Amino acid sequence: MQKDSGRLLLENAAGITLSQVGKRLFDILMSSLLIVCLSPLFIILSVLILFKSGRPVFFLQERVGKNDLPFTIFKFRSMNYSKHNPDRHAYDWKEGVPDHFTFKTAFDETVTPLGRVLRKYSLDELPQLFNVLFGDMSLVGPRPEIPEITTHYTTKQAQRLKVKPGITGYAQVNGRSEIDHGKKIELDLYYVENQSFRLDLRIIWLTMICVVIGKGSF
């Protein structure tokens, strides 16, 4: 009985390792392929941002990744810095992030007209393919939060940090910006507990549909 238990533990450990390696190889292959194929679009969007909004083209921000480790996320700039309020993310929550909290609103005066289009079709997220290639993110996983929010996480909410954050995720194909924080945590934890290559492929397929119709994004 003890020998059988030891064998099962080894098999489970090997399965987890193989799953993680497979996911990482898939991330490297797909992010590299997409960066090459979408390079003309990268150039076009960069020129449009320069022409319409000026510099900088890219928006860099600290986000929180797997195991609560910080990294710099890359995005196409969609905001007007002259209207940016540095205190807009100063929160004073005492008992975790409230379930009713929503990070984005339907109208944000800091977003440029071009930025609204980029956000509607998630084009501002494309530079995160480099985050995936570098290993900070995955193609699929919970969306990375800013540290001003994660520092207030309860033990339950922090469970979403057990896996790499993703460009898209289970919450993104079930409401995107339309859902509140409580629902997002529920969906993210479902993914953490049930992640698989098959689920990732389903999320990627549903993401393409959401992006094409521009549903649920501000």
Side-chain angles (χ1 to χ4, degrees):
M1 180 67 71
Q2 188 174 4
K3 183 180 293 185
D4 289 341
S5 298
R7 179 178 56 80
L8 288 173
L9 286 172
L10 287 173
E11 288 179 352
N12 289 335
I16 292 172
T17 301
L18 288 175
S19 176
Q20 291 173 342
V21 170
K23 185 177 177 71
R24 179 62 186 143
L25 289 175
F26 181 74
D27 282 342
I28 293 173
L29 176 63
M30 291 305 299
S31 61
S32 301
L33 181 63
L34 288 170
I35 288 171
V36 173
C37 293
L38 296 175
S39 56
L41 182 58
F42 273 75
I43 295 172
I44 292 171
L45 293 178
S46 297
V47 172
L48 281 174
I49 294 170
L50 276 173
F51 181 74
K52 294 288 188 179
S53 306
R55 297 182 179 181
V57 170
F58 297 101
F59 173 71
L60 309 182
Q61 186 182 49
E62 182 180 321
R63 295 290 179 96
V64 178
K66 182 179 179 181
N67 297 325
D68 206 22
L69 296 176
F71 71 97
T72 300
I73 198 172
F74 308 137
K75 302 180 72 173
F76 280 121
R77 182 170 66 86
S78 61
M79 297 186 299
N80 186 336
Y81 283 145
S82 65
K83 296 182 179 181
H84 179 67
N85 178 7
D87 297 323
R88 66 183 303 199
H89 299 310
Y91 305 110
D92 189 30
W93 299 312
K94 303 298 183 184
E95 299 179 358
V97 183
D99 285 346
H100 59 78
F101 171 73
T102 53
F103 186 72
K104 295 181 180 179
T105 58
F107 179 78
D108 186 340
E109 64 176 7
T110 67
V111 181
T112 65
L114 175 60
R116 295 188 190 285
V117 177
L118 296 179
R119 289 190 177 191
K120 182 177 179 63
Y121 296 101
S122 298
L123 295 172
D124 61 321
E125 312 284 0
L126 289 179
Q128 288 162 45
L129 289 170
F130 288 96
N131 286 118
V132 174
L133 184 61
F134 298 156
D136 296 318
M137 294 177 61
S138 178
L139 289 174
V140 181
R143 285 295 294 161
E145 288 281 22
I146 57 175
E148 290 85 349
I149 291 178
T150 60
T151 53
H152 295 280
Y153 274 177
T154 62
T155 301
K156 178 181 178 181
Q157 292 169 343
Q159 298 299 305
R160 73 189 296 274
L161 302 177
K162 284 186 173 182
V163 299
K164 281 186 181 180
I167 294 180
T168 186
Y170 195 59
Q172 279 57 55
V173 297
N174 285 281
R176 300 178 81 183
S177 299
E178 294 178 340
I179 60 177
D180 60 23
H181 190 266
K183 185 63 176 178
K184 183 176 73 172
I185 289 294
E186 177 186 330
L187 294 169
D188 284 343
L189 293 186
Y190 174 87
Y191 176 79
V192 171
E193 295 167 1
N194 297 276
Q195 58 180 316
S196 66
F197 185 64
R198 182 177 180 180
L199 179 58
D200 282 0
L201 291 179
R202 178 167 174 258
I203 291 171
I204 290 172
W205 170 248
L206 292 174
T207 297
M208 291 189 289
I209 296 175
C210 289
V211 168
V212 168
I213 64 178
K215 181 181 178 182
S217 182
F218 303 142

